[in-house]
Amino acid sequence: MKVSYQWLSEYVDVSGYTARDLAEKLTRSGIEVDVIEERNKGVTKVVVGHVVSREKHPDADKLNVCKVNAGTGEELQIVCGAKNVDAGQKVPVALVGAKLPGGLDIKRAKLRGVESQGMICSAKELGLNEKLLPKEQQEGILVLPTESEVGTEITNVLSLDDEVLELELTPNRSDALSMLGVAYEIAAILGREVKLPNPEQGMETTGQQASEAISVTIDAKEQCAHYSARLIENVKVGPSPLWMQNRLIAAGIRPISNIVDITNYVMLEYGQPLHAFDADRIAGGAVHVRLAKEGERLVTLDGADRTLEPHMLLIADPEKPVGLAGVMGGANSEVEEGTTRILLESARFAGSSVRRTSRQLGLRSEASLRFEKEVNADAVIDALNRAASLMSQYAGGRVAQGIVEQKLSQPAEVSLSLTLERVNGYLGTSMTMDEVQDIFSRLNFSVEKAGAEELTVKVPRRRADITRDVDLLEEVARLYGYDNIPTELMTGVTTPGALTKEQTIRRGIRTVLNQSGLHEVVTYSLTQPRLNEVFRPLGADTQNLKPIGLSLPMSEERSVLRSSLLPHLIEVAVYNRNRNMDDVAIFETASIFLTEEDALTKLPEERTVTAALWTGKRSEPHWSEKSRPVDFFDLKGVLEKLLASLGIHNASFEAAQAPGYHPGRTAAVRVTAGEASIELGLIGQLHPQVQHDFDLDDTYVFELDMAEVYRAAGNTIAYRTLPRFPAVTRDIAVVADAGLAVGQLKATVAEVGGELLESIGVFDIYTGERIGEGKKSVALSLVYRHPERTLTDEEIAEAHGKVVAALESRHGAELRK
């Protein structure tokens, strides 16, 4: 919202305060002033001149020699190259010694041998925004109204001595989208009165009743609560007065004609958008506020032929639509030069309806901006009368008797109770009842005492943002002055902040994987259907899952919600390999989305998953050792380190089959919790076909279901004292069936070894002819220790013998000879 300082001064006395003072006070009271624009860009010594005569330059076809009366006591000879300069015009004249924007100094000069004693100026040379001027003023010199007084400073004529405050309004302060709304705010801040205009002053009426010529019917009752209209006859369309044009330009609106300019002027003044129809182009003078019909079309004022939809609100006559309600009028009812009768509209349309239509058609205007935020119900009739009286004064119109309207509802006036104890309790102040009451009186809120320390406040409809007593507290705080509220330490019960178990685990996972050399990535939640089908979502029934597609995808590659993180990690790996980054180690913790519905009737299930991918070399080449490709056990080691950091020490890896994984190099990661066995996820190599499709070398991945990880993870750390007694190590090599999992051997050793067994390590696995077909040799290193004393040879021999016997009896594993 752009607010002219001079225009504002008509409604509230701002004497003693500069524009910068007002900006400071507005900002401190809660309405930020973003920019203060000075309309004078550096114009001095420029006055109104009268072109007495114009003749062609004797030596230049494109130059004119003009005699100009600039009020200096003598006629000035000025050479001008503008095509539109002519005798009889009133124009801005820069006298010798004048300064213009851009550092231009005006001096006596000779142009092709003819002396020039000044310069006739264009709008651009005066620093005006040409785009905001009427079309006829955008080229050539600026022609002033004939009533402009010769010799008057141009800064006064064009209001260039004005300053404009640009307000950065928050969505709730729609009341400040009008000059009167800002005036109420300034008056409250300064403690002064608001001078409201008389809406009907200067209105000339006829004997005819408006209801005899026009009618109003609201068919769309949910989208329009109030529609009113007046009839103005005998208007003469032409330019609006210069003072009005200056104010519109200061507000960033281009003047068009007196009729259109008046509707825009009143909209800025009251915050109530208006629209003027050519009454002779409204069939039968009958206005219907209705919804559009399927496929109905309307050419709007911008010349666009628009196809309408049934939810769009229209202004129509019995034959056709004539405007998009609250957005833009139709070209078939436009006010033109020959228009003599005006049907003037002022209404209250539903903000949601205007917003939806405006957004869908890409039509944003000053009017739609105000309707979207809901206009002041009390301003509908005042704005209508104000515009009608201005048309009477500046367009020669005569207003028909009465207002034709249909009002279905009116917002209830808000009445709120507020106690002094609540005010001071919330704000930490020591205000008196009189001080609080004075603040509401300055805001023009009706206030009455309901008790010794209680007030009843009636909020005017223009302040639709105030609906609760806490809103009143905010008004008290900002007008009392935030700087005046004392600063004190808070008192009360405090709760120290802390991370949840889930947050702690996720941060721990990120730390461990980063330390292990993996880089975190963040990928899209959307993927292509083909990739979604490659991998099975963790813990899900693949047969019943349905893809979750977007209704309007931007591309096939981003058309469905992902059900696995692995396709995206593969894409990242391919992207890097295509840029000569063959060694890729990455991970991501994010959501996957699952549903069993073909057409969604509820939100899909969202699961958090951590996935990792590793391909390429294990380490960079070095002179001291050869680099080797990463293998299954490298990633398995990272995963074991990760699980151990989360307090999960009993994880087992069991051979498994899964879509997208290698059929012989995949394992399910399981832990035992009580009597239940929990599957945390999968680890393995990508299926050879998947690797071939994406042109990848051997690539290893794991996926963890974070819900199961949260359940299995321990949230405490157990500490043990350092051992004081020596350990004893015993190595054994047993020959067992080749298909026997080493994990089963280790589990048996751990069970039988009891408390004396401290750790188990596998340091060799051998298969070959010396062992025999279908057999393998597994070498285990067993560490025995007692925490309180030194073990004897007999105790070690006994424990070790039990282990060997159990391996033979349970698994047929014999000591290797």
Side-chain angles (χ1 to χ4, degrees):
M1 175 68 183
K2 294 184 175 182
V3 177
S4 160
Y5 178 84
Q6 290 186 355
W7 190 2
L8 181 66
S9 65
E10 285 196 3
Y11 308 116
V12 61
D13 180 12
V14 293
S15 57
Y17 296 93
T18 65
R20 295 192 178 277
D21 294 336
L22 296 184
E24 173 73 13
K25 290 184 176 295
L26 277 170
T27 301
R28 286 185 176 276
S29 67
I31 295 181
E32 181 184 356
V33 178
D34 190 30
V35 176
I36 301 175
E37 178 190 355
E38 294 187 6
R39 296 202 65 209
N40 190 341
K41 306 302 182 183
V43 175
T44 61
K45 210 174 178 181
V46 180
V47 298
V48 176
H50 176 237
V51 181
V52 178
S53 65
R54 175 187 68 88
E55 297 178 358
K56 285 289 184 182
H57 191 289
D59 295 324
D61 293 338
K62 295 184 178 180
L63 297 180
N64 300 295
V65 180
C66 301
K67 296 291 184 180
V68 180
N69 175 16
T72 60
E74 60 177 344
E75 289 187 352
L76 304 178
Q77 179 174 281
I78 299 176
V79 178
C80 178
K83 294 180 181 180
N84 65 326
V85 67
D86 205 352
Q89 293 174 336
K90 296 287 182 68
V91 294
V93 177
L95 304 176
V96 173
K99 293 184 180 295
L100 297 178
L104 181 61
D105 296 333
I106 304 302
K107 302 176 182 178
R108 289 180 180 270
K110 281 193 174 183
L111 299 176
R112 294 286 184 94
V114 177
E115 184 180 24
S116 182
Q117 300 170 318
M119 185 173 84
I120 301 176
C121 302
S122 67
K124 185 176 182 181
E125 289 162 340
L126 294 175
L128 299 178
N129 185 346
E130 293 177 286
K131 294 180 180 179
L132 292 179
L133 294 175
K135 290 183 178 180
E136 62 273 12
Q137 298 281 24
Q138 293 182 8
E139 295 182 1
I141 62 166
L142 180 63
V143 180
L144 303 172
T146 55
E147 62 270 18
S148 302
E149 188 175 343
V150 173
T152 306
E153 288 284 341
I154 201 67
T155 53
N156 296 332
V157 175
L158 298 179
S159 297
L160 297 183
D161 51 351
D162 192 9
E163 293 177 281
V164 178
L165 286 68
E166 187 166 348
L167 310 185
E168 192 71 27
L169 297 175
T170 52
N172 63 312
R173 290 306 304 271
S174 59
D175 62 294
L177 283 170
S178 67
M179 293 298 300
L180 288 176
V182 177
Y184 275 114
E185 187 71 15
I186 292 293
I189 294 171
L190 302 183
R192 299 182 178 180
E193 296 293 327
V194 177
K195 296 175 286 186
L196 298 175
N198 181 353
E200 299 186 32
Q201 183 177 358
M203 181 189 296
E204 292 190 17
T205 59
T206 66
Q208 181 187 9
Q209 291 293 325
S211 57
E212 297 174 359
I214 60 176
S215 63
V216 168
T217 304
I218 299 177
D219 298 323
K221 301 184 185 303
E222 293 184 4
Q223 290 78 16
C224 180
H226 184 190
Y227 191 97
S228 60
R230 295 207 76 145
L231 179 65
I232 302 99
E233 299 185 321
N234 301 324
V235 299
K236 184 176 181 181
V237 179
S240 57
L242 187 58
W243 64 265
M244 185 178 290
Q245 293 187 31
N246 290 337
R247 291 181 177 180
L248 292 177
I249 292 171
I253 295 178
R254 180 171 64 87
I256 298 174
S257 68
N258 51 3
I259 301 299
V260 177
D261 292 354
I262 286 169
T263 60
N264 285 331
Y265 179 84
V266 174
M267 176 189 69
L268 293 174
E269 186 175 45
Y270 282 86
Q272 169 65 45
L274 306 169
H275 188 72
F277 298 96
D278 186 331
D280 290 329
R281 302 171 77 175
I282 304 295
V287 172
H288 293 268
V289 185
R290 62 171 174 84
L291 295 177
K293 301 172 184 176
E294 186 70 45
E296 200 166 13
R297 306 179 71 87
L298 174 67
V299 178
T300 47
L301 289 174
D302 58 358
D305 187 357
R306 303 183 185 277
T307 302
L308 310 178
E309 295 190 12
H311 67 80
M312 296 180 178
L313 186 63
L314 295 182
I315 309 301
D317 64 20
E319 300 174 358
K320 61 189 180 298
V322 294
L324 282 168
V327 181
M328 185 174 286
N332 57 5
S333 60
E334 181 181 5
V335 173
E336 297 175 334
E337 188 175 348
T339 298
T340 59
R341 298 173 73 241
I342 298 293
L343 190 154
L344 184 62
E345 163 198 285
S346 182
R348 186 159 60 87
F349 303 119
S352 57
S353 173
V354 174
R355 184 184 302 109
R356 185 178 178 187
T357 300
S358 173
R359 183 176 298 172
Q360 186 166 341
L361 296 179
L363 278 175
R364 296 283 292 174
S365 63
E366 292 288 337
S368 66
L369 170 67
R370 286 163 173 79
F371 276 122
E372 286 175 11
K373 299 181 184 301
E374 302 291 349
V375 297
N376 175 15
D378 290 338
V380 173
I381 298 300
D382 284 347
L384 179 67
N385 290 333
R386 173 71 163 159
S389 65
L390 289 175
M391 289 181 187
S392 181
Q393 296 175 60
Y394 299 107
R398 294 176 64 83
V399 184
Q401 297 282 348
I403 296 172
V404 179
E405 66 177 333
Q406 187 173 358
K407 184 188 294 186
L408 304 178
S409 65
Q410 187 83 336
E413 193 174 57
V414 176
S415 181
L416 301 169
S417 295
L418 189 66
T419 64
L420 185 63
E421 179 184 7
R422 188 165 171 81
V423 172
N424 289 326
Y426 261 71
L427 304 183
T429 56
S430 301
M431 299 178 68
T432 66
M433 180 61 77
D434 289 340
E435 288 177 311
V436 176
Q437 191 169 0
D438 178 63
I439 287 174
F440 290 128
S441 297
R442 284 158 50 192
L443 285 165
N444 276 272
F445 290 6
S446 175
V447 57
E448 296 178 357
K449 285 189 176 182
E453 293 192 347
E454 185 176 356
L455 294 174
T456 299
V457 182
K458 292 184 179 179
V459 183
R461 291 187 182 91
R462 60 183 171 83
R463 291 299 305 273
D465 58 308
I466 299 177
T467 58
R468 302 174 299 164
D469 61 348
V470 288
D471 298 324
L472 293 178
L473 290 172
E474 183 182 358
E475 296 298 300
V476 173
R478 65 188 191 82
L479 288 181
Y480 180 70
Y482 295 120
D483 294 341
N484 297 325
I485 297 176
T487 302
E488 296 180 2
L489 290 175
M490 292 188 297
T491 60
V493 178
T494 59
T495 302
L499 297 177
T500 63
K501 177 183 177 181
E502 290 77 9
Q503 290 172 326
T504 303
I505 289 173
R506 289 183 65 159
R507 292 193 181 191
I509 289 174
R510 182 181 295 114
T511 299
V512 171
L513 293 180
N514 282 150
Q515 291 173 347
S516 301
L518 278 70
H519 300 279
E520 185 174 13
V521 298
V522 179
T523 61
Y524 288 105
S525 296
L526 302 171
T527 187
Q528 51 183 302
R530 179 179 64 85
L531 291 180
N532 239 11
E533 297 170 358
V534 175
F535 297 95
R536 172 179 64 84
L538 286 178
D541 183 355
T542 311
Q543 296 179 349
N544 296 330
L545 292 181
K546 302 295 189 298
I548 306 170
L550 297 185
S551 56
L552 295 171
M554 296 184 67
S555 66
E556 178 67 17
E557 287 72 21
R558 300 284 181 259
S559 59
V560 296
L561 283 172
R562 64 187 174 195
S563 58
S564 172
L565 297 185
L566 292 183
H568 287 302
L569 296 188
I570 292 172
E571 287 182 338
V572 173
V574 171
Y575 182 90
N576 280 270
R577 283 181 61 87
N578 291 340
R579 287 153 181 79
N580 297 322
M581 295 290 292
D582 295 331
D583 307 327
V584 180
I586 54 177
F587 75 94
E588 180 177 16
T589 299
S591 296
I592 61 173
F593 306 90
L594 311 173
T595 187
E596 296 182 356
E597 297 183 306
D598 289 311
L600 288 180
T601 60
K602 60 183 179 181
L603 289 176
E605 180 185 357
E606 185 173 348
R607 294 184 183 178
T608 304
V609 174
T610 293
L613 177 148
W614 202 349
T615 186
K617 296 185 290 295
R618 174 67 178 83
S619 59
E620 292 295 326
H622 192 265
W623 63 268
S624 62
E625 61 179 353
K626 286 186 176 182
S627 63
R628 64 172 180 81
V630 67
D631 61 22
F632 174 88
F633 296 101
D634 291 321
L635 190 61
K636 178 174 177 284
V638 171
L639 180 55
E640 288 177 328
K641 177 182 176 182
L642 173 62
L643 295 177
S645 72
L646 301 177
I648 304 174
H649 300 285
N650 60 342
S652 63
F653 296 82
E654 302 175 8
Q657 301 283 332
Y661 283 82
H662 194 292
R665 300 178 184 174
T666 301
V669 185
R670 294 185 176 277
V671 295
T672 302
E675 297 182 357
S677 177
I678 302 174
E679 183 175 319
L680 299 183
L682 293 170
I683 181 172
Q685 182 179 340
L686 289 182
H687 195 285
Q689 186 61 48
V690 175
Q691 292 179 169
H692 177 270
D693 291 343
F694 288 96
D695 193 23
L696 290 172
D697 295 333
D698 286 353
T699 301
Y700 299 90
V701 297
F702 72 69
E703 294 179 280
L704 296 177
D705 186 339
M706 292 304 296
E708 301 298 342
V709 171
Y710 297 150
R711 189 153 67 103
N715 53 4
T716 58
I717 299 175
Y719 294 92
R720 294 184 300 175
T721 59
L722 292 173
R724 294 185 298 159
F725 298 94
V728 178
T729 302
R730 291 285 187 269
D731 295 339
I732 59 172
V734 295
V735 177
D737 292 338
L740 180 66
V742 175
Q744 291 180 272
L745 296 176
K746 291 178 65 177
T748 297
V749 172
E751 179 186 346
V752 176
E755 295 180 355
L756 297 183
L757 184 64
E758 184 176 82
S759 64
I760 310 167
V762 179
F763 63 89
D764 184 52
I765 298 177
Y766 172 76
T767 57
E769 294 180 358
R770 290 187 296 172
I771 301 300
E773 186 177 355
K775 297 290 185 179
K776 66 181 175 183
S777 171
V778 180
L780 303 172
S781 179
L782 312 182
V783 178
Y784 297 94
R785 191 197 306 266
H786 196 287
E788 302 295 337
R789 58 183 173 81
T790 302
L791 291 171
T792 64
D793 290 340
E794 290 77 10
E795 289 175 314
I796 297 170
E798 181 182 355
H800 199 63
K802 290 180 180 179
V803 168
V804 173
L807 290 175
E808 183 175 0
S809 63
R810 296 185 186 184
H811 306 294
E814 300 177 351
L815 285 176
R816 182 178 174 184
K817 299 176 181 178

